[in-house]
Amino acid sequence: MGLLRGGLLALAVSGAVACGAPAVDQGAVPPSTSGAGCAVRYEVADALAPVGPSSAYAEIHVAPLDPAEQERRRRQRLPLSPRDHGSAVEAAGRVRPALERLCAAGDFGATATAEAFTAAGYPANDVYVQPFPDSAGVGYSLHLGERACVTGHVRPGELLVAVDGARRDGTCAEASG
């Protein structure tokens, strides 16, 4: 927990972050550089014990699961190792100023959002940006390390930057709009 310090506040999750309640470290939240017209939410999931081959985790299923339970389990987020947590917090801090500038300027395009990540040094293959079908704005995700994600959205008046683990299916992106 070396990266997280200060009072942690459990938040209800919305939009780009699913399953579990991320903790927000108020001391680690960088100051906002955006104008007053863009509210910024910064959510950081807590790092858990290292996860790997030594983990003693198993699921035993006696009967086939119903489709709703299969979908719920598929969307669950995996815990972050301290290494992946640190990488994701660093990435969120590097890309956040560019995303704030996009939000403040009213630029909600997929290309500009993807370029914010590539300009910060992240490979285009690790970035997924999807326009919202029913509204202005885009959802984005950056996959880092074994199971770390920086996800969120840029939409009129709102920027979400969230750090969390990948879903059990190995993806970061969430369908939302």
Side-chain angles (χ1 to χ4, degrees), residues 25-65:
D25 177 2
Q26 298 298 334
V29 176
S32 176
T33 59
S34 68
C38 189
V40 178
R41 239 180 34 217
Y42 190 75
E43 300 174 354
V44 179
D46 198 6
L48 299 178
V51 178
S54 62
S55 296
Y57 176 76
E59 284 188 26
I60 300 172
H61 304 286
V62 177
L65 297 173

Side-chain angles (χ1 to χ4, degrees), residues 38-115:
C38 189
V40 178
R41 239 180 34 217
Y42 190 75
E43 300 174 354
V44 179
D46 198 6
L48 299 178
V51 178
S54 62
S55 296
Y57 176 76
E59 284 188 26
I60 300 172
H61 304 286
V62 177
L65 297 173
D66 66 77
E69 179 62 12
Q70 286 178 346
E71 178 64 14
R72 185 193 69 77
R73 288 181 185 219
R74 186 183 70 80
R75 291 184 161 279
Q76 283 180 326
R77 295 284 177 170
L78 297 169
L80 285 171
S81 69
R83 173 178 283 175
D84 280 346
H85 183 268
S87 295
V89 168
E90 177 188 351
R94 285 175 58 185
V95 76
R96 180 178 167 179
L99 294 173
E100 287 180 349
R101 284 190 295 276
L102 291 177
C103 187
D107 188 352
F108 309 112
T111 301
T113 303
E115 287 173 354

Side-chain angles (χ1 to χ4, degrees), residues 9-24 41-46 75-77 151-153 158 160-165 167 172 174-176:
L9 172 66
L11 293 176
V13 179
S14 68
V17 183
C19 297
V24 173
R41 239 180 34 217
Y42 190 75
E43 300 174 354
V44 179
D46 198 6
R75 291 184 161 279
Q76 283 180 326
R77 295 284 177 170
T151 61
H153 58 255
E158 181 183 14
L160 170 64
V161 179
V163 170
D164 209 344
R167 297 181 340 180
C172 290
E174 287 292 327
S176 62

